[in-house]
Amino acid sequence: MSTTTGTLTSPRGGRRAVDLVVRVLVYVSALIAIAPLVWILVSIVAEGLPAILSASWWTQDLAGTTDRRAGGGALHAIIGTLEIGLVTAVVAVPVAVMGAIFLIEYARGTRWARLVSFTVDILSGIPSIVAALFVYTLLITLLGLGRSAVAASLALVLLMLPTVLRSTEEMLKLVPDSLREAAYALGLPKWKTVVQVVIPTAFSGIATGVILGLARVMGETAPLLILVAYARNLYLSPTTSNMGTLPTMINSGRNVAETLPGYSRVWGAALTLILLVMGLNLLARGVARAGRLKDR
Amino acid sequence: MAKRIEVEDLDVYYGSFQAVAGVSLVVEPRTVTAFIGPSGCGKSTVLRTLNRMHEVIPGAYAKGRVSLDGVDLYGPGVDPVAVRRLVGMVFQRPNPFPSMSIYDNVAAGLKLNGTRNKQELDETVERSLRGANLWNEVKDRLNRAGTSLSGGQQQRLCIARAIAVRPDVILMDEPCSALDPISTLAIEDLIGELKEQYTVVIVTHNMQQASRVSDRTAFFNLEAQGLPGRLIEINDTETIFSNPSLKATEDYITGRFG
Amino acid sequence: MSTSNLHFATIKHGGDRSFRAGAIAAAVVVVLLVLFVGVFLAVLAIPSLRRDTVSFLTSTQWNVGTGTLQFGIAGLLWTTAITSVVAMILAVPVAVGTALLVTQYVPPRVGSTIGFLIDLLAAVPSIIFGLWGLKLLGPFLGPFYDWLQRVLGWIPLFGKGVESTGNVLTASIVLAIMVLPIVSAMSRNVFAHTPRDHIEAALALGATRWEMIRTAVIPYGRSGVIAASMLGLGRALGETIAVMIILSQTTTEGINVSLFAGGETFASKIANNAQEFDSPAKTGAYIAAGLVLFVVTFAVNAVARVVAERRVS
């Protein structure tokens, strides 16, 4: 800041003070932003670690166990979360990728692209509870079906669809037109150009988006509350009306007294969910990095 | 397999803008024809109409007749995809597919069109890489990414990729403009060899290059910005460079122009 | 090798046609989904709205269990608005501050690490934020709330609320942390794209770092920050599970404007009663609440989009 020569002194006291105050404020704001993350992660690991370290956590469900009794595990909820997440992805990803292909490969710059793009924005702003109500009105009120794990997946599709579509769209945009031209010049029809040249070129980016979308829906709770009842037992059929998941396991145990064994299982479920979601996030970063390295 | 190209009274439009007007020319089989002219004169546009690549640009269309051994490329029922299998193209910047290995890049045209026979693919890859003077440099690393090669090697890889599908004609759109002089020399040598089997049309900004590689030269020009480009003169390269019949051609070649 | 005649027309374009149809179908599905969400919610809400015996917009009553329907959204609207607005008041300055730190103060390497940590916050599931707010943050802030109420209790905003720490303020703080990564990431993005020559022009005039930010970075990024804040607001308005877990439900009717009050937002009201959707009339009341939430978030997101697009053009 200060210099030895007389003519090159730093700004006057007032200006300098304001600059310093702002500097302190921006550093403090970053601390405020990061502190909750650290607090949440540390407390969940501390409270949840004992529960997930027992072997039964990963191999048993909660059948026959009450909040007053120790033992049992989260297998039912882990399987439920994975299953609902996978069913969601199986429905959402093809629609999202084809939608992105429509936007970039077929309708780029047209008013149809603008219309679809606009509705994707709206879709990405729909609160999860509204998506859940919509599926409820469609499947349960209008079609007379019961609650089911698949119904929950369909609500989650509404949440995953715009995320994956947007990220796929961004990745397809990054594929240079020269590659499309090279493929056309080899006599490839358009669809083969897209499937065999454009998609493979953008693959790691698309996969990153899919994994991040999956992490997001696996942590969602609201649609599960409305569309599928929580079960303490392991159920595998996607059409079952009762299925446990990690978020609803936390929700159902949130008011258990701190002294009971059930309380530590709530934190165990929270830690398991965090591990799952963070694991997927790290995986996504890894896939994205692998893709960048390959390009070099 | 090399075929004769005839262009008759070709007009090309980008939407309402007319880019090229009234071009007629003939390209004989097993020759190299160079298109020269200032920027914006429509030489690349004309080149692209020879395999209907201009149709990739939204709003672009052509009027007139382009025929390959007498068959109209724009006739009813003609599939642009089929045209491009017979008329291959090499672009200004090397554009190997980044998701594919060297081998897969060369085999791309065959593989993506359904050839699965391993032996046939192997033979084609070797023949094409040899044809592009690249075989000796890459034969030990066919599984490495195509993008791991140098710029000049990438461009020869793209030529190998183009000849792998056994086209009749190869179009080259300023194939050396992104390359260093040594790589340029390698490509020019290759063009000389390619004409033994193929009809080659090359667009170039480099007049020495045109005089070195081509048998015939076509000079394109436009009267003013905003007006369509026209074919001014086409003749044997020697004649064009030593004794052009038009003053505009002479001005351009001797550097008195643009 | 060479063909005697040119088989130009032999290639079938069935693949092209069906692939294109698939892409169009996917786009149509997306458009229809959005359309259906609005239409279905409206169609199923209208019968219940017709049978509502109190004013839907101004009443704070919610009795849907018995024969006559009495439901109004005034209370939900208030709680939804106050939690979200307070959340934004808390979140936006912090988000802008971190965005400035990351883009203008620290080297890119450090900046991307801080950015990564904040992005990680976005990956934490809502239910975990809820659990944390209910079990840890609320009790931790309890003494602070008591003090605040003693000192500022004469202002209605800090008046008497619920006994537990599951109040509007706790919910707002948790919402603020949840929207922080959204607002911060978008702000970071616009600040990072401040034209270099604007920055250099300011610095060449002898501006301090802050003066440079005030004259170059902030004017350039302002509308981007506004758009980001609107998106964050949309997220806060619709957040369900964290708010549902944290906020104590109250039985008293009428609106308590205190930050220490309990209550329910649109989203938490619906989620709290999810297991009671037994008759169409009753469900319709909740769907009507969901429809209002949909319309409000739609409007907020549309404004965000308009602001963001004006920036681009």
Side-chain angles (χ1 to χ4, degrees):
Chain A
M1 271 285 201
S2 71
T3 52
T4 47
T5 48
T7 51
L8 290 175
T9 50
S10 50
R12 278 187 300 114
R15 290 173 62 197
R16 205 174 144 188
V18 172
D19 192 48
L20 194 67
V21 168
V22 174
R23 181 178 290 264
V24 170
L25 283 179
V26 297
Y27 275 92
V28 168
S29 68
L31 280 183
I32 294 175
I34 292 170
L37 177 71
V38 175
W39 186 359
I40 290 170
L41 292 183
V42 167
S43 56
I44 283 178
V45 170
E47 302 264 2
L49 203 57
I52 73 163
L53 284 182
S54 80
S56 67
W57 182 260
W58 305 97
T59 55
Q60 293 177 18
D61 59 16
L62 285 174
T65 314
T66 66
D67 291 333
R68 299 185 170 279
R69 302 220 327 248
L75 183 69
H76 63 302
I78 296 168
I79 299 285
T81 291
L82 292 176
E83 180 173 327
I84 288 178
L86 287 179
V87 172
T88 305
V90 164
V91 180
V93 172
V95 179
V97 171
M98 289 305 279
I101 288 171
F102 173 80
L103 285 179
I104 298 298
E105 308 293 336
Y106 286 99
R108 205 172 193 173
T110 66
R111 89 185 105 129
W112 296 110
R114 278 197 296 282
L115 172 70
V116 174
S117 196
F118 176 66
T119 53
V120 172
D121 273 356
I122 296 173
L123 201 56
S124 63
I126 288 183
S128 57
I129 191 84
V130 172
L133 268 184
F134 164 65
V135 173
Y136 188 93
T137 61
L138 180 69
L139 291 186
I140 296 165
T141 311
L142 289 179
L143 296 180
L145 305 169
R147 294 172 202 234
S148 66
V150 167
S153 289
L154 288 181
L156 293 174
V157 165
L158 263 72
L159 305 176
M160 190 170 184
L161 189 55
T163 340
V164 176
L165 201 156
R166 272 275 172 267
S167 61
T168 305
E169 185 193 355
E170 291 305 316
M171 291 305 132
L172 295 184
K173 251 188 223 165
L174 290 180
V175 175
D177 277 342
S178 65
L179 294 181
R180 295 184 180 88
E181 291 198 329
Y184 294 145
L186 287 177
L188 291 195
K190 181 156 190 162
W191 77 278
K192 277 194 178 171
T193 302
V194 174
V195 172
Q196 316 248 31
V197 173
V198 177
I199 300 272
T201 305
F203 185 79
S204 71
I206 295 172
T208 303
V210 169
I211 297 168
L212 287 178
L214 199 57
R216 180 183 163 201
V217 299
M218 281 184 173
E220 270 292 343
T221 315
L224 303 170
L225 280 184
I226 293 191
L227 293 165
V228 59
Y230 175 67
R232 296 170 71 90
N233 298 28
L234 177 61
Y235 291 109
L236 289 175
S237 163
T239 53
T240 176
S241 62
N242 296 52
M243 186 180 274
T245 63
L246 290 166
T248 48
M249 182 175 172
I250 299 168
N251 183 57
S252 75
R254 68 180 202 263
N255 289 324
V256 173
E258 290 187 25
T259 48
L260 298 178
Y263 183 76
S264 75
R265 285 200 292 261
V266 172
W267 290 95
L271 178 55
T272 312
L273 182 59
I274 283 266
L275 287 176
L276 181 66
V277 170
M278 294 288 169
L280 286 173
N281 271 275
L282 290 179
L283 177 66
R285 282 177 76 86
V287 169
R289 181 166 309 164
R292 275 201 301 276
L293 286 180
K294 207 177 68 183
D295 287 347
R296 277 190 201 135
Chain B
M1 50 194 271
K3 287 197 165 70
R4 174 187 160 95
I5 306 169
E6 280 169 86
V7 178
E8 286 165 62
D9 207 18
L10 180 76
D11 298 331
V12 190
Y13 298 83
Y14 294 117
S16 58
F17 170 70
Q18 186 172 11
V20 171
V23 170
S24 300
L25 56 86
V26 174
V27 176
E28 295 296 338
R30 293 194 175 79
T31 61
V32 177
T33 301
F35 287 2
I36 61 169
S39 297
C41 68
K43 56 192 186 300
S44 288
T45 302
V46 173
L47 186 79
R48 283 175 162 250
T49 59
L50 303 185
N51 68 344
R52 298 183 65 170
M53 278 297 286
H54 66 288
E55 291 172 14
V56 172
I57 299 158
Y61 63 97
K63 283 184 193 164
R65 191 181 145 94
V66 178
S67 57
L68 204 56
D69 272 6
V71 178
D72 187 0
L73 297 188
Y74 292 83
V78 171
D79 181 348
V81 169
V83 171
R84 292 173 199 147
R85 287 188 196 167
L86 299 179
V87 186
M89 190 161 191
V90 176
F91 298 84
Q92 198 168 344
R93 300 194 157 274
N95 53 2
F97 300 128
S99 58
M100 297 181 192
S101 67
I102 293 171
Y103 182 98
D104 287 338
N105 259 288
V106 181
L110 290 182
K111 252 188 179 172
L112 300 183
N113 283 320
T115 306
R116 287 281 172 273
N117 184 336
K118 177 87 173 91
Q119 196 193 344
E120 187 188 340
L121 288 175
D122 284 347
E123 284 169 9
T124 304
V125 168
E126 183 172 344
R127 171 185 62 83
S128 308
L129 284 170
R130 282 189 193 283
N133 289 341
L134 192 60
W135 175 250
N136 289 328
E137 291 159 67
V138 301
K139 65 181 178 212
D140 302 321
R141 44 175 175 154
L142 292 174
N143 288 321
R144 295 273 299 277
T147 44
S148 67
L149 299 173
S150 74
Q153 288 173 325
Q154 286 190 21
Q155 192 63 301
R156 277 179 282 150
L157 179 64
C158 292
I159 293 172
R161 183 177 65 186
I163 60 182
V165 293
R166 300 181 186 278
D168 298 317
V169 179
I170 298 175
L171 309 177
M172 296 185 166
D173 191 357
E174 299 183 40
C176 303
S177 65
L179 303 181
D180 61 78
I182 294 174
S183 306
T184 299
L185 202 62
I187 304 278
E188 288 182 3
D189 287 346
L190 178 55
I191 292 170
E193 293 167 27
L194 288 175
K195 77 167 176 184
E196 289 164 18
Q197 292 188 64
Y198 307 96
T199 307
V200 179
V201 183
I202 175 173
V203 166
T204 178
H205 264 127
N206 180 332
M207 255 138 346
Q208 285 75 36
Q209 183 168 69
S211 64
R212 281 193 299 262
V213 302
S214 70
D215 305 303
R216 298 196 27 107
T217 295
F219 171 59
F220 291 79
N221 204 352
L222 73 176
E223 287 155 42
Q225 218 47 249
L227 292 177
R230 290 171 189 280
L231 173 65
I232 303 299
E233 186 174 357
I234 179 165
N235 213 328
D236 290 344
T237 297
E238 263 197 50
T239 317
I240 287 271
F241 279 90
S242 59
N243 186 22
S245 55
L246 289 171
K247 175 116 177 32
T249 315
E250 190 182 344
D251 285 350
Y252 182 73
I253 284 161
T254 53
R256 259 174 282 165
F257 182 98
Chain C
M1 183 181 298
S2 73
T3 43
S4 54
N5 58 354
L6 299 164
H7 292 288
F8 280 142
T10 51
I11 294 165
K12 292 274 181 287
H13 276 230
D16 257 347
R17 219 170 290 130
S18 40
F19 193 71
R20 180 158 180 269
I24 292 173
V28 169
V29 164
V30 171
V31 175
L32 285 186
L33 269 181
V34 172
L35 214 60
F36 281 3
V37 171
V39 170
F40 279 32
L41 293 183
V43 164
L44 289 172
I46 285 168
S48 298
L49 284 172
R50 286 237 174 87
R51 288 178 50 198
D52 191 1
T53 54
V54 296
S55 163
F56 177 65
L57 290 178
T58 59
S59 170
T60 59
Q61 293 183 55
W62 198 279
N63 300 310
V64 292
T66 50
T68 54
L69 289 177
Q70 299 176 307
F71 62 95
I73 56 164
L76 304 180
L77 194 58
W78 167 260
T79 310
T80 305
I82 186 78
T83 48
S84 302
V85 168
V86 173
M88 296 319 293
I89 291 171
L90 296 173
V92 171
V94 176
V96 171
T98 47
L100 287 176
L101 177 79
V102 165
T103 57
Q104 309 297 330
Y105 283 88
V106 296
R109 261 199 111 71
V110 181
S112 71
T113 308
I114 297 173
F116 169 65
L117 286 175
I118 294 170
D119 287 347
L120 218 50
L121 205 54
V124 175
S126 309
I127 183 94
I128 305 246
F129 279 111
L131 189 67
W132 174 71
L134 175 75
K135 300 286 185 191
L136 300 173
L137 181 71
F140 173 79
L141 290 174
F144 169 69
Y145 290 164
D146 292 342
W147 174 80
L148 211 57
Q149 210 164 356
R150 263 203 316 280
V151 179
L152 296 173
W154 50 276
I155 308 173
L157 200 59
F158 297 97
K160 196 161 169 41
V162 288
E163 285 303 311
S164 80
T165 54
N167 56 35
V168 165
L169 189 52
T170 308
S172 300
I173 294 171
V174 171
L175 282 178
I177 296 166
M178 295 177 72
V179 300
L180 185 90
I182 302 173
V183 183
S184 170
M186 275 186 72
S187 304
R188 238 154 55 206
N189 197 19
V190 288
F191 291 159
H193 286 95
T194 310
R196 262 256 56 92
D197 43 346
H198 290 197
I199 293 175
E200 283 168 1
L203 290 177
L205 287 174
T208 62
R209 180 75 56 117
W210 163 242
E211 287 162 348
M212 179 278 285
I213 290 170
R214 215 184 47 196
T215 53
V217 179
I218 296 205
Y220 178 79
R222 185 183 292 129
S223 57
V225 171
I226 293 172
S229 305
M230 298 302 283
L231 283 183
L233 179 62
R235 173 85 202 276
L237 292 169
E239 173 51 38
T240 309
I241 194 70
V243 176
M244 180 193 115
I245 288 186
I246 292 167
L247 263 189
S248 311
Q249 298 174 50
T250 48
T251 47
T252 50
E253 281 174 6
I255 293 171
N256 183 350
V257 297
S258 171
L259 291 179
F260 302 117
E264 283 176 291
T265 63
F266 287 111
S268 74
K269 180 86 187 173
I270 298 163
N272 264 322
N273 296 284
Q275 299 308 321
E276 292 167 28
F277 293 178
D278 38 26
S279 74
K282 197 170 165 186
T283 312
Y286 292 102
I287 290 173
L291 180 64
V292 176
L293 178 60
F294 174 59
V295 171
V296 170
T297 50
F298 176 91
V300 169
N301 286 317
V303 171
R305 189 181 158 97
V306 168
V307 174
E309 282 199 346
R310 190 173 301 158
R311 214 183 82 75
V312 174
S313 59

